Amino acid sequence: MKLFTPLAQRSLSLRNRLVIAPMCQYSATDGLPDDWHLVHLGSRAVGGAALVIAEATAVSAQGRISPGDVGLWNDAQLAAWQPITRFITGQGAIAGVQLAHAGRKASTQAPWLGGHPLAADAGAWQTVAPSAVPFDAHWSTPQALDTAAIAHVVADFRAAAVRALAAGFQLIELHAAHGYLLHQFLSPLSNQRTDEYGGSFENRTRLVREVIAAVREVWPESLPLWLRISATDWSEGGWDIEQSVRLAQEVKSLGIDLIDTSSGGLVPHVKIPVAPGYQVPFAARIRREADVATGAVGLITESTHAARIIDEGSADVVLIARESLRDPYFPRRAAQELGVSITAPLQYQRAW
């Protein structure tokens, strides 16, 4: 059984193959993580995960999904992350962060308030995208980014990576999935540009490649860099698994160490065949055809299922999301169910 074996990622060694996926909490003020984030992320490190990835963390105020998003666009946010990363690493886990820009899906309410676009009197801000195409009816029309603004987005990712390192993070995941800005550039459904950032596969992937290159310039060679993608838009004429394999092949040479393989989120009202492990075949195909490490995510709730994914070679890690919200100690439960012994914190060892 490989689920509880280490995985080398550059200079780091994940203590097992269970990773806590980034999950937005919509609970920050001015982009500052607080006690909630310390307890939320810290409890999952205590719970035995190898890597805890902080939620989508905005590289600019404009790139927030909601007013409650955390960020890394200023030094106050950097300082607020430091006690959180210190606690995570103190529990033997790796502290990761997902850097993100929401693009046309920014300026929305928290999900428990409806998740709809903010009204002007509720603090809405101008959204941006590759093209002036709104996400859905009744959503605001985003402003198409010009080349100077695109360069500024790249610089924002680069600056956030510098702050991530100073904040104590040991791994960065770049968010190019779920219909957010980088994904919007990838897909022909949202990218209708006719310049060097639109049209061909090479042009639509240009921004992702530029962001990776900019981050790799400042992110230590000894530390891993992951990329989360949506392997398919689940919509005809959109981004698909064939393009995902090709992108994975290209970004591997740019310094990407693992493709975190999700799907969907770019366009609304699509039919997705949701079932346990429904995205695993995408991770398996990318791993096989692009010869790069992958992560599997999506309705993986059972320890035996997670173990089978790794044993069969479908992915190198399993990312646990909503199951971790139900059970922050899922890795410890999985170990017990699978008959594996893992170390508990000193404070908890009398329970083992």
Side-chain angles (χ1 to χ4, degrees):
M1 182 188 301
K2 298 179 181 177
L3 186 63
F4 285 94
T5 60
L7 174 67
Q9 284 269 291
R10 296 189 184 248
S11 68
L12 301 182
S13 179
L14 280 68
R15 59 187 175 184
N16 57 56
R17 309 301 183 95
L18 288 169
V19 173
I20 302 302
M23 291 175 283
C24 289
Q25 301 296 293
Y26 305 102
S27 299
T29 301
D30 297 326
L32 295 164
D34 57 21
D35 290 347
W36 175 264
H37 301 86
L38 171 62
V39 174
H40 165 67
L41 297 169
S43 63
R44 282 145 187 87
V46 172
L51 164 65
V52 179
I53 307 179
E55 64 197 83
T57 299
V59 299
S60 67
Q62 188 178 49
R64 293 170 296 163
I65 303 166
S66 79
D69 283 24
V70 292
L72 266 173
W73 69 82
N74 64 42
D75 289 346
Q77 294 157 358
L78 181 167
W81 279 115
Q82 288 175 329
I84 299 173
T85 62
R86 187 163 57 245
F87 184 85
I88 291 170
T89 56
Q91 307 312 307
I94 292 166
V97 63
Q98 184 186 70
L99 298 183
H101 191 301
R104 69 181 187 177
K105 292 179 77 174
S107 189
T108 64
Q109 302 167 327
W112 51 82
L113 297 175
H116 304 299
L118 291 170
D121 60 2
W125 61 90
Q126 176 64 57
T127 60
V128 296
S131 304
V133 179
F135 171 66
D136 197 2
H138 311 302
W139 284 60
S140 62
T141 299
Q143 182 178 59
L145 292 163
D146 60 23
T147 53
I150 290 173
H152 199 277
V153 168
V154 174
D156 285 341
F157 272 94
R158 186 182 190 276
V162 172
R163 291 192 178 96
L165 183 65
F169 290 106
Q170 300 164 290
L171 182 147
I172 285 176
E173 177 174 273
L174 300 174
H175 200 354
H178 301 162
Y180 298 123
L181 185 65
L182 298 185
H183 185 184
Q184 291 161 29
F185 271 84
L186 293 176
S187 178
L189 298 178
S190 49
N191 184 345
Q192 300 177 4
R193 303 174 73 96
T194 57
D195 64 359
E196 66 268 35
Y197 288 95
S200 68
F201 173 87
E202 180 183 3
N203 287 353
R204 286 182 285 109
T205 60
R206 189 180 306 278
L207 178 57
V208 169
R209 289 184 281 110
E210 288 181 348
V211 168
I212 292 169
V215 169
R216 259 292 164 215
E217 285 180 1
V218 297
W219 189 244
E221 188 69 21
S222 60
L223 296 179
L225 180 62
W226 290 10
L227 180 69
R228 172 166 269 196
I229 65 169
S230 283
T232 177
D233 290 336
W234 300 106
S235 184
E236 186 176 355
W239 183 259
D240 56 28
I241 182 57
E242 287 76 20
Q243 294 175 88
S244 294
V245 169
R246 185 176 171 188
L247 177 65
Q249 291 168 336
E250 294 192 2
V251 299
K252 179 185 176 183
S253 66
L254 297 176
I256 290 295
D257 298 292
L258 183 142
I259 304 294
D260 177 359
T261 311
S262 189
S263 71
L266 185 89
V267 290
H269 318 303
V270 295
K271 182 175 282 189
I272 300 175
V274 175
Y278 70 104
Q279 296 171 149
V280 174
F282 298 135
R285 181 170 172 184
I286 291 171
R287 187 177 191 264
R288 181 176 66 252
E289 297 184 14
D291 190 27
V292 64
T294 60
V297 64
L299 287 181
I300 302 168
T301 62
E302 302 292 335
S303 59
T304 52
H305 187 190
R308 187 167 66 252
I309 290 167
I310 303 300
D311 287 343
E312 292 176 349
S314 295
D316 296 271
V317 299
V318 171
L319 292 105
I320 304 299
R322 288 179 180 148
E323 185 63 17
S324 174
L325 297 182
R326 290 184 282 268
D327 180 5
Y329 295 85
F330 175 83
R332 297 200 175 279
R333 172 162 59 86
Q336 185 178 41
E337 291 172 351
L338 296 169
V340 176
S341 177
I342 61 174
T343 303
L346 292 174
Q347 298 91 331
Y348 288 4
Q349 286 183 4
R350 65 182 181 272
W352 266 260

